[in-house]
Amino acid sequence: MVGIVLSYTTLGIDAYQISVEADIGTGFNPMNIVGMASNAVKESKDRVIAAIKNSGYQISTQHYTINLAPADLKKDSAALDLPIALAILQCNEIFRIIDYDTIAMIGELSLDGFVRPVAGVLPIALAAKKEGIDTLIVPLENAEEAAIIEGLNVIPVTSLRECVSWLCKETEIMAANVDREKIFQVLNDFPVDMSDVKGQFQVKRALEVAAAGGHNVLMIGPPGSGKTMLARRVPTILPELNLEEALEATKIHSVAGYSKNFRNGILTTRPFRSPHHTISDVALIGGGAFPKPGEVSLSHRGVLFLDELPEFKRVVLEVLRQPLEDGVVTISRAASSLTFPAEFMLIASMNPCPCGYFGSNIPNHQCNCEWGSILRYRSRISGPLLDRIDIHVEVPSVSYADLASLPTGDKSVDIRARVNKARAIQHDRFKGTGIFNNSQMNSKQLRKFCILDDASNALLQNAIDKMGYSARVFDRILKVSRTIADLEGRKDIISDDISEAIQYRTLDRKYWS
C-alpha cells in the first residue's frame, strides 16, 4: 500500500506543491528518499523513524522508499518531516487520509514526535489557497502567520500523534483565526518619531524630499551628529504600509525565517535593515546553494541603511548597482535562475574623512588627516554608485542650544501627510505606466514632466559647466527638482527647485567642508 500526502516546499520566495509518497519494499537501508532532496531532507530519515516510534506507533522494519514529486524540483527544508511520517503511517495502514488532495501539511519533527516551527509558511499558505487546498496543517507557532490568508482552514498541531488523531476525527482542533482588521490597525505603529531629533532641519528637509520621491540619500557628517538616528526614522515618514505591501514584505522575511519575530505573524511597519560593514556580497544581495534573499530583498518596501559606507568592501558596494536600477535581484545558478524583489530606499552615511572631523567646528576635534588620505577615503565609493544616489546632504554637529532645547520640528505624521500628497500627485502623473514615484522616471518621462523655464535652464547649465556633472547626475537633479515642486504643489519646476536639488549633490563638488 502506498501512502500519499500533499505538502509544499519553497524555492526563492515562492512555494510549490509536492506529493510525498511512501512505499514498503526490500532493501538494505531502512529508508531511501528520492526526488532531488537536499541533505536537510535526507537527514530526516532517522528523525522521522524515531518520532514515529516515540509517538507510540508500531511500523514495519522493512525498507521504505520515499518519493518527493515532482522529481525535478529541489527540496530543501526540514518542513517535510511531518508529511513523510504521515505517508509512512499510511503505507503501514495505521490510518488513511480520505480527501488527501484537499489537505496539505508542513512541519519539522523532534525525536519525541513534537512538531517544530518552520520557515516559509506565508508563501506556502498563499500557494495552498491559490491551488484550491482547503486545509493546511501547520506547527502551532506558525498558525497565526498562515491564518492571515483568508479562506484557508489552518489547523495548528503540536505533535505527530495530535495530527493523526485529528485526521482520524478522534480529536477536534479549533482552526487558527486572526483579526485582520486589528492587524491592519497596528500597521505603521512606530516607537520612534522624527520630532525626537533636535535641530538638523536642513537634513530633515532632505529626507522629506527623499521620501516624497523615493530617492536614495547619502548623509555626510562627523560622529555623533545624528546620522543613524535620522536614518532610523525615515520609515516613519514614508507612505503608509498597506496590507498588500505588508504581505509582500512578510513573504520574503518568512522564507528567510524571520517572521516568527513579528507581531501576529506579519510585518506591521516598513522594513529597516542595517547590516554591518563586514557583510559579504552574498549576504547583501542573496544567494547560496539554495538561493535565499539577502539584505536588499529583506529591505523590500522599506529602507536599507548602510552606516559608514566607505568601510564596506568595494565588491559588496558594487553589487548594489542592479537592485538600485532595476528593483530586483537575479541569482543565477547552473540548475536555475531566481529573481527576488528589491525595491528599497537606500540611506547611507559616512564621515567626511578618516578621523571624521574634516570641516568640523567642534572644539578639541580638529582634523589632522592629510588631503591625500581624505581623497583615498572618499574614493572607496565608486562614481557609478554615487551617481545612483540622488541626494547627498551634510549633517553638521548639533549645537548645545539644540541639544538643551525641547524636541522641535514637525512630527512624523505631519511630514508623512505632505509626503502622501506629493506621492498622490506622482500616482496620477504616472498612472498606467508601471512607475510609482519620480525616482523611477526614464529619459522620455523626464523630457515630458521636467520642462524648465529660461531661469532654471540657465542655473542648471551653469552648475553643470562648473561642476562637470555626468548625464546621470543631470537626470537625478531633474528628478529631485520635480519632487520638490510636487511637495510645494506646483505644476512647473522653478529655479528655486533646481537650486535646492543642486545643493543636494555635495560629493560632486571639487571641494566641500
Side-chain angles (χ1 to χ4, degrees):
M1 178 179 176
V2 176
I4 303 176
V5 174
L6 293 184
S7 187
Y8 283 85
T9 189
T10 56
L11 187 61
I13 61 170
D14 296 314
Y16 299 89
Q17 187 180 108
I18 61 173
S19 177
V20 180
E21 304 167 351
D23 183 45
I24 301 176
T26 58
F28 296 104
N29 297 321
M31 187 186 299
N32 185 32
I33 301 178
V34 297
M36 284 193 75
S38 70
N39 288 335
V41 179
K42 290 180 178 178
E43 288 173 355
S44 69
K45 58 182 69 174
D46 294 330
R47 193 165 56 241
V48 168
I49 295 297
I52 292 174
K53 175 184 174 183
N54 292 320
S55 296
Y57 298 108
Q58 299 296 322
I59 61 174
S60 171
T61 57
Q62 290 180 273
H63 171 80
Y64 291 94
T65 298
I66 309 297
N67 180 42
L68 308 177
D72 61 345
L73 182 67
K74 290 182 178 180
K75 294 91 180 175
D76 179 37
S77 175
L80 297 177
D81 286 2
L82 181 61
I84 291 174
L86 293 172
I88 290 174
L89 291 176
Q90 283 193 91
C91 71
N92 278 274
E93 301 185 2
I94 292 176
F95 81 105
R96 189 73 178 170
I97 301 177
I98 305 301
D99 300 323
Y100 81 91
D101 56 342
T102 63
I103 300 176
M105 56 206 69
I106 56 171
E108 179 184 342
L109 290 175
S110 62
L111 295 181
D112 55 2
F114 283 92
V115 181
R116 290 174 171 165
V118 296
V121 172
L122 184 59
I124 288 173
L126 286 167
K129 171 69 184 305
K130 183 179 179 181
E131 294 171 0
I133 295 295
D134 294 331
T135 302
L136 181 64
I137 301 174
V138 301
L140 177 63
E141 291 87 344
N142 296 125
E144 282 192 339
E145 182 181 348
I148 293 170
I149 308 304
E150 196 170 4
L152 187 64
N153 190 34
V154 177
I155 303 299
V157 296
T158 59
S159 66
L160 174 60
R161 176 163 284 280
E162 183 183 30
C163 182
V164 173
S165 181
W166 182 85
L167 289 168
C168 294
K169 303 187 185 305
E170 297 172 354
T171 302
E172 184 176 346
I173 301 176
M174 293 293 295
N177 185 39
V178 296
D179 189 340
R180 294 176 184 83
E181 292 185 2
K182 185 177 180 181
I183 291 175
F184 191 79
Q185 289 173 358
V186 300
L187 291 178
N188 310 295
D189 182 16
F190 295 94
V192 296
D193 195 273
M194 193 63 81
S195 62
D196 300 335
V197 182
K198 298 180 179 181
Q200 305 295 12
F201 298 107
Q202 180 183 354
V203 186
K204 291 180 185 178
R205 166 65 178 180
L207 293 177
E208 179 179 338
V209 172
H215 304 288
N216 302 316
V217 180
L218 173 60
M219 296 184 287
I220 310 107
S225 56
K227 301 186 293 296
T228 301
M229 189 176 184
L230 285 159
R232 291 190 180 278
R233 283 153 179 76
V234 170
T236 69
I237 65 173
L238 289 172
E240 292 85 349
L241 185 70
N242 58 45
L243 191 56
E244 182 181 352
E245 288 178 322
L247 288 174
E248 188 180 357
T250 304
K251 185 177 176 182
I252 302 171
H253 287 75
S254 179
V255 170
Y258 297 136
S259 59
K260 60 180 177 292
N261 301 323
F262 299 151
R263 180 169 47 180
N264 299 314
I266 188 172
L267 189 66
T268 56
T269 58
R270 290 194 178 273
F272 181 88
R273 305 293 297 185
S274 180
H276 193 261
H277 60 77
T278 56
I279 191 173
S280 68
D281 53 341
V282 173
L284 182 65
I285 211 73
F290 288 83
K292 298 291 184 182
E295 290 292 334
V296 295
S297 295
L298 294 170
S299 306
H300 182 62
R301 301 299 183 196
V303 173
L304 175 65
F305 177 49
L306 300 183
D307 198 9
E308 303 297 342
L309 189 65
E311 301 300 331
F312 285 79
K313 296 176 183 177
R314 180 90 172 211
V315 66
V316 172
L317 294 179
E318 294 307 305
V319 299
L320 285 172
R321 291 193 193 182
Q322 184 201 6
L324 285 176
E325 286 290 332
D326 304 332
V328 295
V329 172
T330 301
I331 308 295
S332 298
R333 295 292 180 265
S336 63
S337 179
L338 297 175
T339 299
F340 297 109
E343 292 186 13
F344 60 90
M345 181 177 173
L346 175 64
I347 307 292
S349 70
M350 63 177 288
N351 294 329
C353 67
C355 78
Y357 295 101
F358 177 77
S360 174
N361 57 1
I362 304 176
N364 302 322
H365 286 290
Q366 298 301 315
C367 175
N368 295 316
C369 300
E370 295 181 356
W371 184 244
S373 67
I374 295 175
L375 293 180
R376 285 192 298 273
Y377 176 76
R378 297 177 190 171
S379 67
R380 295 179 188 175
I381 310 169
S382 68
L385 179 60
L386 276 179
D387 282 352
R388 287 170 170 82
I389 300 177
D390 301 352
I391 295 176
H392 311 158
V393 60
E394 293 182 55
V395 185
S397 56
V398 185
S399 66
Y400 173 79
D402 288 331
L403 289 173
S405 66
L406 294 173
T408 55
D410 292 338
K411 293 182 177 294
S412 291
V413 65
D414 300 321
I415 300 174
R416 183 192 289 165
R418 297 195 292 267
V419 168
N420 283 337
K421 287 182 180 179
R423 289 282 184 122
I425 294 172
Q426 295 165 51
H427 181 269
D428 293 338
R429 176 183 299 137
F430 303 123
K431 194 172 183 179
T433 64
I435 290 177
F436 303 100
N437 53 57
N438 289 333
S439 68
Q440 299 173 322
M441 281 192 290
N442 56 36
S443 56
K444 182 178 179 181
Q445 290 160 335
L446 278 172
R447 291 193 298 271
K448 182 178 180 180
F449 299 117
C450 298
I451 300 173
L452 305 181
D453 57 22
D454 292 341
S456 299
N457 264 317
L459 179 61
L460 187 54
Q461 181 181 355
N462 183 54
I464 289 175
D465 290 342
K466 287 189 174 182
M467 303 295 182
Y469 291 148
S470 67
R472 183 179 280 117
V473 173
F474 172 76
D475 290 348
R476 302 290 179 190
I477 291 174
L478 288 180
K479 292 176 182 180
V480 174
S481 300
R482 179 68 271 171
T483 300
I484 295 170
D486 290 342
L487 278 171
E488 301 301 325
R490 287 193 296 267
K491 182 180 179 181
D492 298 321
I493 297 173
I494 63 175
S495 59
D496 287 347
D497 304 329
I498 294 291
S499 178
E500 183 177 352
I502 291 173
Q503 293 301 311
Y504 294 144
R505 300 300 304 182
T506 297
L507 287 182
D508 293 322
R509 305 173 201 164
K510 186 174 181 182
Y511 298 104
W512 54 278
S513 61

